[in-house]
Amino acid sequence: MTKKEDIYRIISKRIQEERKKADLTQEELSEKVDITSKFLSRIECNADNPSLELIIKFADEFGISFIDLLTEKKEKESNNEKFLKRVQFLTAKFTDKQKEQIINIIKSIKNILS
């Protein structure tokens, strides 16, 4: 396998991992990045390669860096890291004011549970 094939294999795997982590179906993700679910399936199976522009769309949608999609995961993430990434994904497109409101809600919940 060439370096290019290795990179696309990693990208395919990472897209699938991030999609599942975000609890999205192929149909849901394909709508968000404006491709067909069949094309997404081919990408995840490493039968087709996404363009650079599409890789960036995936990264933006997952709320991660472009480099994260090019990098194979070596370590198992802790539950805390998974939680934080999920929150980051869910709030990626929030304004700073909305993020501050979320923090205040979490603080209120913490006070209630303490």
Side-chain angles (χ1 to χ4, degrees), residues 13-25:
K13 181 179 173 187
R14 294 286 293 122
I15 288 171
Q16 184 178 50
E17 288 171 355
E18 291 296 324
R19 177 182 61 78
K20 289 180 178 180
K21 187 171 20 173
D23 198 28
L24 294 170
T25 65

Side-chain angles (χ1 to χ4, degrees), residues 6-81:
D6 286 342
I7 290 170
Y8 280 112
R9 178 189 52 77
I10 291 167
I11 291 169
S12 297
K13 181 179 173 187
R14 294 286 293 122
I15 288 171
Q16 184 178 50
E17 288 171 355
E18 291 296 324
R19 177 182 61 78
K20 289 180 178 180
K21 187 171 20 173
D23 198 28
L24 294 170
T25 65
Q26 286 183 335
E27 291 77 21
E28 290 168 332
L29 179 57
S30 61
E31 281 181 28
K32 290 177 179 284
V33 296
D34 199 28
I35 60 172
T36 66
S37 57
K38 183 176 180 178
F39 184 45
L40 177 56
S41 176
R42 291 183 54 77
I43 290 170
E44 287 187 358
C45 293
N46 200 22
D48 219 330
N49 297 329
S51 66
L52 180 59
E53 179 183 1
L54 186 54
I55 295 169
I56 292 169
K57 278 185 176 183
F58 281 121
D60 287 346
E61 193 57 46
F62 295 134
I64 61 175
S65 75
F66 170 79
I67 298 300
D68 285 340
L69 281 182
L70 306 176
T71 309
E72 221 165 3
K73 291 276 186 183
K74 302 274 188 218
E75 304 171 17
K76 186 101 173 142
E77 286 184 319
S78 71
N79 285 337
N80 212 23
E81 290 170 321

